[in-house]
Amino acid sequence: MFFASDNTGPTHPAVLQAVIEASDGYALPYGNDPWAARAQALVREVFEAPDASVHLAITGTGANSMIMGAMAPPWSAIFCHEMAHILIDEANGPQMYSGGASFAPVPGAGGKMSADGLRAILDRYAPGDVHTPARGPISLTNITEAGTAYSLSEIEEIAALGAKAGLAVHLDGARFSNACAALGCTAAELTWKSGVTAATFGGTKNGCMSVEAAVFFDPAYDAAFLRNRMRGGHLLSKHRILSAQMVAYLTDGLWLTLGAQANAAGRYLADGIRAHVEFVDEPAGNLMFVRFPRALHRKLHAAGAQFNSFADVGTGPDDEPIVARFVCDWSATPENTDRFVDLLKAG
Amino acid sequence: MFFASDNTGPTHPAVLQAVIEASDGYALPYGNDPWAARAQALVREVFEAPDASVHLAITGTGANSMIMGAMAPPWSAIFCHEMAHILIDEANGPQMYSGGASFAPVPGAGGKMSADGLRAILDRYAPGDVHTPARGPISLTNITEAGTAYSLSEIEEIAALGAKAGLAVHLDGARFSNACAALGCTAAELTWKSGVTAATFGGTKNGCMSVEAAVFFDPAYDAAFLRNRMRGGHLLSKHRILSAQMVAYLTDGLWLTLGAQANAAGRYLADGIRAHVEFVDEPAGNLMFVRFPRALHRKLHAAGAQFNSFADVGTGPDDEPIVARFVCDWSATPENTDRFVDLLKAG
Amino acid sequence: MFFASDNTGPTHPAVLQAVIEASDGYALPYGNDPWAARAQALVREVFEAPDASVHLAITGTGANSMIMGAMAPPWSAIFCHEMAHILIDEANGPQMYSGGASFAPVPGAGGKMSADGLRAILDRYAPGDVHTPARGPISLTNITEAGTAYSLSEIEEIAALGAKAGLAVHLDGARFSNACAALGCTAAELTWKSGVTAATFGGTKNGCMSVEAAVFFDPAYDAAFLRNRMRGGHLLSKHRILSAQMVAYLTDGLWLTLGAQANAAGRYLADGIRAHVEFVDEPAGNLMFVRFPRALHRKLHAAGAQFNSFADVGTGPDDEPIVARFVCDWSATPENTDRFVDLLKAG
Amino acid sequence: MFFASDNTGPTHPAVLQAVIEASDGYALPYGNDPWAARAQALVREVFEAPDASVHLAITGTGANSMIMGAMAPPWSAIFCHEMAHILIDEANGPQMYSGGASFAPVPGAGGKMSADGLRAILDRYAPGDVHTPARGPISLTNITEAGTAYSLSEIEEIAALGAKAGLAVHLDGARFSNACAALGCTAAELTWKSGVTAATFGGTKNGCMSVEAAVFFDPAYDAAFLRNRMRGGHLLSKHRILSAQMVAYLTDGLWLTLGAQANAAGRYLADGIRAHVEFVDEPAGNLMFVRFPRALHRKLHAAGAQFNSFADVGTGPDDEPIVARFVCDWSATPENTDRFVDLLKAG
């Protein structure tokens, strides 16, 4: 009953096999390995972007922070949702890599920045006055931190607002494949065809050991990213370990297959628990937030179910509904979920 | 008709005279001048805080940013109102001096952080998880950016919340004297007696040429502030220019006299225009935001009145009410204000 | 003929096997995996330091930079040899993680900071003046960047100078095991018993896939390191990948066996080429710099030998001696070396 | 007997008068005052550079650091003499404003970077490898920190080396006027005519209250400088205080007159003491370092002479020669110097 995160599961066998093979023999370091070029080519192919700049990083926080470091000058503000991972969960990494950019949090229901919310905040950061931080990039997360998904038209609307103001758009795709699977769209549609300038393309939460790709559809940010990757200690000498994972992940559409699997597992779980919990938002993929009574949280944890409770489980009224987060990864099985749902139903 | 800011007016003669005197002859540099110790002693006396650390800075943005740099670790978040000067108007200075702290904006009516708003945001930055920025200091502005004032009990309530969470409290006092005059309280009451840990004590907007004091009631931040002041290029070799201003400003209560004068001028203006404009918030001191029709903005600007309009004055419906900001400094005269009010009344 | 670096070779089978095992099944993320505690315990055991703080990082540049970030305030200067990796080869990573510390390069023959050199530079950074950067930590590399080794008494002398000045000492041990093997000393003797405060304990160059340990013998730096590790994107969600490597590396003395193997391979190479090249410094371990004619560089590269030439090989006098760097890792075989030496001898 | 620094003396009456006048009445803040444009025009005129970007700062450390912040990316190294003020005496300010650039100290006799020394260090920072900090700007100080002066041809040689490597050149002119007076050259010759890209044009040490100008002959750095000036808290609201000083300083050649006066005072002092001390370097302007016995230091200090001794005066052999620094500013009088020389001669 592992629903704590999609980073707690096993490495997919095909990815592991690639790492095993790449661990043997000699290869030049720092991205000069033969797998590196193959990984870059595959990312470009998947994104239908032959000119994209593609670089690998070891973590999602690293990739996001280094992309922000390349896109956001130190005197600028990054526009993101007020629950964005880069704002709340990356320990000021974007600040460090950018040399001091700030955030301009944008409100919006369901974990999604609203166009009206963005307009209002953009007004607050009107250009032309050296006192106010300059307008920096807009960053969206898809699948969002609330488990919902921006539709392509929602991304387009925000990107159009950005374009009008001369701002680039970043997509935090820690759950990129889940978003594509949920929306039934291509990687290109989720990004540059909708106006996105750069994306974090996540592998770690979807069967990889630990690898993310930074994908830039505008070459302007390339040099700064590469310098920051080295400064941050993210350029692996044995870079082939990263390359090999990405090659396996992109071969034969594995990335999308696994994302669809995880989403299906998420749907199966959601359907199983729907009658017994209150959904904070209707989940789009493999991640969901629901409310149910504290006493039940306690019971499920005691039974060995792994999930996050966003309140003190130990103290407080037994029947007060508190929020839980459940995540399914590609390896989740119906049996595991059934067992959990049965426990939950038993109340 | 100068209402653009309280930084557009003349230097008070007593302050100017002190600068003239200090400009003559020889003095050791970098704060080793004889005026420096006198200035520090006077600040401590005014704050009834014989152990306070007192250091001078040349600007308010510098003082605030360097104080934040001393109080906020790079991995922390600073809690401030969503309209706070440090968030919106200091060009990411606090980020630079702190090495990358972020902001956690707190909502609240009338430019004042509400205790409930602060509680909710503190929850979002729960300690114990290395992903979330650590809880940094709380920063209040008084007179607020909206022209209102936190009462002593409001400051106490926020400081108590902070103390419970182990957080220090900073008071941005660019208009410190106006706040004291408005609340009828002492400098000590406005700060440490209400739970404030450190304050920016502004002089520039209130008759000084350019000087602010950073006042720490907790010695923990002293060393970092002094290093940052030097790193930032704020340690004047001819520091006596700053010292002399502060000495004159604190002699015979000039600081409070001038603040009261500015507030009285503000009240006189507010009363004069009240029947013809809509106040965004009822002003507490010398700063106010009001709405009146765009056409009238245009007319007043054309007549030479200096004030800020927070919308495009040139285009848009003539009768749409748009926001203007008026500020009176210590030197504002009734004649000047009468002239302006007459123009406004004429419509 | 792979002598380019000790980061170009294969992962040791025992390390790979551990990664394979750890890749299976479910484990809590972010260092809460069961292997993490085991790795920490083994490091403490190897260092005979039951109270040491131990944290894993993915790269040596990351580990060094984050340790410097914890030990060097932004207003301080780090004392290191003028050829130190942290100064020349880490792309200003220590600057980023420290928020702006500078370097005070110390001269010294054979890649080793001399005590006299350090004394002279310490004098230049005399404390008590806020203009001069504060004295930060001293950082030594062992095996040095020149392929030599500091003896224990040399480390002690420098650490004693540091201690007298109140300065902590860091040891960059990218080739830690090679240093221990070369000096015939224990990990404890190489570090805390000689006055070292914190060490980077390298695994990547010695049979691991990609892992380093930051080891602090003084708990003062722990919190800052952990915050910086997260800020920098170095806290792997699938941290077990790192833990497992370190566990295998420290089991049954594998770390030291492999270091000794690499040193033996280095000696074998050095002895083979000694008659035909000029050594810049006598090598202590697995890394050496030698001079021989440019034409020979060209010939060896053409024959497929991998090593670095520190000058333009293509142009310039054929018989001008230019510098080459050779490194042997644990997997180097006599056959491979013989083949290379034969080529070299053939001239 | 004030020889401690040229920042200990009085403000020149013409500068003071300008400040007095500018302190009266109303003026727009933040550099929109009428004096600002006049100051910029005068700087451009003096530098014969009608397209130069000119911005004022309050201190030399601030100006230097902010210029470095604009010219040096965070992943670059700044080339400067190993005794440079920006390296040793600005508390890591350039690091902070640049977001983490490092220094590459260049050796050279007499406080002057030698062309050969620069060539050797440039080689160490060879481009094309992401590990090594990128080559950043070259920064020269004239009058140097040793009291000597780079000749125009020396500047040209270094700037040519820089140009060949694609590097910009900064001139730290805390004693700019002294350098012009010493070399008998124009401001243009000292800078852009010799290949300099940007200069700090100092006023504070030469009769101003506290003002420096940052002068860019290449517009590429303008935007970053302006953002950094605001971030650093160096954009004075009452900017007219700075503008007025600069206007007075540049009117009727006052800047050069005062520099020549200070140099003449320096020469008078040097000639007076020459027979009794050993010069570390022959002084070019108003600043000199000399050696004479410790006991004499003690006696002179006891007699009230103000100068810096670079060793412990209190303890150590009486007859050991230790270094003293003497500086004369524009206001130094022969009588004052005669009195000091007599004391020195008396031994």
Side-chain angles (χ1 to χ4, degrees), chain D residues 67-78:
Chain D
I67 292 173
M68 289 297 98
M71 297 178 84
W75 43 78
S76 72
I78 299 164

Side-chain angles (χ1 to χ4, degrees), chain A residues 9 26 91 208 231 238 240 331, chain C residues 9 26 91 231 238 240 331:
Chain A
Y26 294 83
C208 290
R231 273 209 302 162
K238 296 189 175 167
R240 49 178 153 160
S331 72
Chain C
Y26 295 83
R231 273 210 302 162
K238 295 186 175 170
R240 50 176 154 161
S331 72

Side-chain angles (χ1 to χ4, degrees), chain B residues 2 7-11 23 25-27 29-30 59 89 91 93 96-97 204 208-209 230-234 237-238 240-241 331, chain D residues 2 7-11 23 25-27 29-30 59 91 93 96-97 204 208-209 230-234 237-238 240-241 331:
Chain B
F2 301 99
N7 59 30
T8 65
T11 304
S23 294
Y26 296 83
Y30 304 118
T59 65
D89 290 305
M96 184 168 68
Y97 282 96
T204 312
C208 291
M209 197 173 265
M230 182 61 216
R231 274 211 301 164
H234 271 261
S237 60
K238 296 189 175 167
R240 51 178 152 161
I241 303 301
S331 71
Chain D
F2 301 99
N7 59 30
T8 65
T11 303
S23 293
Y26 295 83
Y30 304 118
T59 65
M96 183 168 68
Y97 282 95
T204 311
C208 291
M209 198 173 265
M230 181 62 216
R231 273 212 300 164
H234 271 260
S237 60
K238 295 188 175 167
R240 51 177 153 161
I241 302 300
S331 71

Side-chain angles (χ1 to χ4, degrees), chain A residues 36-124:
Chain A
R38 179 86 189 109
Q40 291 179 320
L42 282 169
V43 172
R44 290 189 188 109
E45 194 183 309
V46 162
F47 280 87
E48 305 166 46
D51 298 327
S53 298
V54 178
H55 307 295
L56 303 185
I58 188 82
T59 65
T61 290
N64 283 340
S65 296
M66 294 188 291
I67 292 173
M68 288 298 98
M71 297 176 82
W75 43 79
S76 73
I78 299 165
F79 298 90
C80 64
H81 190 268
E82 57 191 14
M83 298 304 293
H85 199 266
I86 59 171
L87 170 59
I88 301 289
D89 290 305
E90 301 191 349
N92 294 344
Q95 270 76 10
M96 183 169 67
Y97 282 96
S98 67
S102 57
F103 287 114
V106 180
K112 294 194 270 184
M113 183 186 292
S114 72
D116 280 349
L118 178 57
R119 254 182 229 105
I121 301 290
L122 283 173
D123 280 353
R124 195 180 290 171

